[in-house]
Amino acid sequence: MTVSATDFTPNVAPLVFGDETPEERAQIVEDYMARNLAILRDEREALERDAEEREAKPRADNDNEPAGIKGAPLPVICPADWHGKPVPERQWFIEGLIPSRTVTILNGDGGVGKSLLALQIGAAASLGVDTIGLTPARGGVVYLGAEDEADEFHRRLADIVASHHRTLADLSSFRLIPMADRDALLAVPNKDGVMQATHAWQSLRTIVARYTPRLLILDTSADLYGGDEIKRAQVRGFIAMLRGVAMEFDCAVLLLSHPSLTGMQSGSGSSGSTAWNNSVRSRLYLTRPSGEDADSNARTLSVMKANYGETGSGLSLRWKDGAFVADDGIATGDLAIVTKHHDDVFMTILRKFSVQGQNVSANTGPTYAPSKFASQPEAKGIKRKQLADAMQRLLDAGRIRMVTEGRASRQRSRLVVDDAPSN
């Protein structure tokens, strides 16, 4: 007989005493507790079995809602109640690629660099900088890596921060959990095939609650998911766990995963059951070109699924000095010529602005130099990010500098050419 939450009324008899001795009363209490605790346990187990059976039933592919609290009433909303209220803006970690409050999968063949790319995106968020032409939300990051040791992460992060002219000391909001030598499974199926959280999951959730990151990176699903790759209910149960944390702590979850053989052959990058693709709102695929003459340092990041954006778009990347950079199609031998041209254009526009009395700054804001310069005719299509890179190179070389002027109560900073007099 099926037991529902509303049927859960323990069959517990009242405890009544007569003229028993203290020893006899103690024995009565002991028997009473043993008998009624067994009744409570049996009824609770029946309730849980019934709930697990309902959770294990097949669902439609587009059914992505989490299971919710067992026995809780269903939420019912009348859209008419929203009339006159502002429509909430969609939240992104990286606009168009990684939405907040849900799970994104990053697929990639072994050795293609998906761990490095995820680490680089996380570091950029912690540093508050752009990377590979993308602007991550600024904030804390928790990275659980089950494939590499701490020393490997140390080497990679050192290269990444160096590419931004920063140091490891600037990663104060980054938390790394290396699990290469430990059991990293976050969920495993019970005897009935229903996914259950492990001690590692509970520990991870505690860490997320403590640091409240903007991004949680999980590397990789093969090490963290203890279920069957092709069992839809188990896959969906695992993704629902991750999505629950994303919603509860208002963060994005990026799950790294290897594609299946079929996914690699078809070019879709999918893995195992279709539930992996169907259960997430966004899926990315990092690939390298094939063929004998292919560039071993080239990569493409493709958007394979985007419920909230456009699919089919791709971002060309190149591995350089331990990190990925945006690849604009310029041959490596010509990069020095191109960067010099960008530097010269920046200097030309800065001199023009100085003559005109227009002050610009290296600090982001209304007078941010790269943003102001990108709209000038001298820029001729050079993008804001490229001008920002030129500005940093010129600052590092001492060809331009920041000067601070004005009274202490109203000081202002502006960029000047180093050989130009400052007032």
Side-chain angles (χ1 to χ4, degrees):
M1 177 180 176
T2 300
V3 180
S4 67
T6 55
D7 296 329
F8 187 63
T9 305
N11 183 22
V12 179
L15 181 61
V16 178
F17 291 115
D19 298 329
E20 298 86 354
T21 65
E23 293 78 10
E24 290 173 335
R25 288 193 176 191
Q27 186 60 48
I28 291 173
V29 170
E30 183 178 345
D31 294 342
Y32 172 87
M33 293 295 296
R35 181 174 64 256
N36 290 294
L37 284 175
I39 293 173
L40 290 171
R41 183 176 61 251
D42 291 345
E43 295 193 6
R44 184 193 64 191
E45 290 177 354
L47 178 62
E48 291 180 348
R49 281 197 304 272
D50 180 63
E52 289 170 356
E53 288 173 1
R54 285 186 277 110
E55 287 296 319
K57 289 181 180 178
R59 302 181 181 182
D61 284 347
N62 62 353
D63 178 11
N64 295 322
E65 294 304 317
I69 302 173
K70 294 178 180 179
L74 297 177
V76 178
I77 294 175
C78 177
D81 294 337
W82 291 334
H83 177 69
K85 296 181 180 179
V87 178
E89 294 185 8
R90 191 176 309 285
Q91 300 179 42
W92 294 93
F93 177 74
I94 296 181
E95 188 167 356
L97 289 183
I98 303 178
S100 293
R101 298 176 59 81
T102 191
V103 184
T104 295
I105 288 180
L106 171 59
N107 289 116
D109 305 350
V112 74
K114 59 183 176 295
S115 297
L116 174 62
L117 178 59
L119 200 64
Q120 187 171 332
I121 290 172
S126 181
L127 295 172
V129 298
D130 290 356
T131 186
I132 58 171
L134 304 173
T135 304
R138 184 170 186 171
V141 176
V142 171
Y143 189 118
L144 190 158
E147 293 189 330
D148 295 300
E149 296 179 299
D151 286 351
E152 180 61 28
F153 286 113
H154 190 167
R155 289 187 286 269
R156 290 183 178 183
L157 284 170
D159 288 336
I160 290 170
V161 295
S163 71
H164 292 291
H165 309 284
R166 305 286 283 275
T167 70
L168 289 170
D170 297 314
L171 292 178
S172 58
S173 62
F174 196 108
R175 293 295 181 273
L176 180 65
I177 309 172
M179 297 278 287
D181 60 342
R182 303 180 64 176
D183 180 4
L185 290 176
L186 301 181
V188 296
N190 62 14
K191 59 184 177 60
D192 296 318
V194 178
M195 297 303 293
Q196 300 292 313
T198 64
H199 176 71
W201 168 260
Q202 301 298 345
S203 298
L204 174 63
R205 189 182 177 284
T206 299
I207 292 171
V208 172
R210 179 184 306 160
Y211 294 108
T212 59
R214 295 296 299 272
L215 177 67
L216 170 62
I217 303 172
L218 303 174
D219 181 13
T220 65
S221 64
D223 302 285
L224 307 177
Y225 169 69
D228 191 320
E229 282 278 336
I230 62 173
K231 287 191 175 179
R232 181 174 300 178
Q234 293 183 5
V235 171
R236 297 181 71 83
F238 180 63
I239 296 296
M241 285 175 52
L242 305 186
R243 187 169 56 249
V245 163
M247 295 172 64
E248 181 178 1
F249 298 105
D250 195 23
C251 66
V253 174
L254 182 62
L255 175 65
L256 279 55
S257 184
H258 300 291
S260 65
L261 181 60
T262 301
M264 288 189 290
Q265 292 174 342
S266 67
S268 68
S270 59
S271 55
S273 167
T274 56
W276 289 103
N277 183 75
N278 294 332
S279 297
V280 298
R281 291 297 190 239
S282 178
R283 187 168 67 83
L284 312 175
Y285 188 23
L286 183 66
T287 57
R288 58 159 53 94
S290 58
E292 294 182 2
D293 299 328
D295 185 348
S296 61
N297 290 326
R299 302 288 190 276
T300 300
L301 181 64
S302 303
V303 180
M304 308 306 294
K305 179 181 179 180
N307 280 32
Y308 309 138
E310 296 183 4
T311 59
S313 58
L315 183 65
S316 296
L317 309 176
R318 177 174 297 278
W319 185 90
K320 181 175 182 289
D321 298 331
F324 287 116
V325 296
D327 186 359
D328 53 10
I330 301 171
T332 304
D334 297 332
L335 286 176
I337 298 174
V338 172
T339 55
K340 182 181 183 304
H341 172 63
H342 292 171
D343 294 352
D344 291 343
V345 169
F346 190 97
M347 292 286 285
T348 298
I349 302 176
L350 179 56
R351 284 193 173 99
K352 183 184 81 169
F353 271 47
S354 296
V355 170
Q356 295 174 345
Q358 298 188 66
N359 294 336
V360 290
S361 172
N363 302 321
T364 54
T367 61
Y368 185 50
S371 297
K372 303 283 283 186
F373 291 1
S375 62
Q376 296 300 301
E378 294 89 345
K380 295 181 179 179
I382 300 176
K383 294 182 167 54
R384 172 182 176 273
K385 178 64 170 64
Q386 295 168 321
L387 290 167
D389 291 341
M391 179 178 69
Q392 188 61 55
R393 286 192 298 269
L394 294 167
L395 285 167
D396 292 342
R399 296 178 62 189
I400 62 176
R401 59 191 173 91
M402 290 282 288
V403 297
T404 302
E405 303 167 322
R407 300 191 303 271
S409 60
R410 293 194 62 186
Q411 287 189 338
R412 295 181 180 177
S413 298
R414 64 185 178 97
L415 273 176
V416 299
V417 177
D418 192 58
D419 59 3
S422 58
N423 298 325

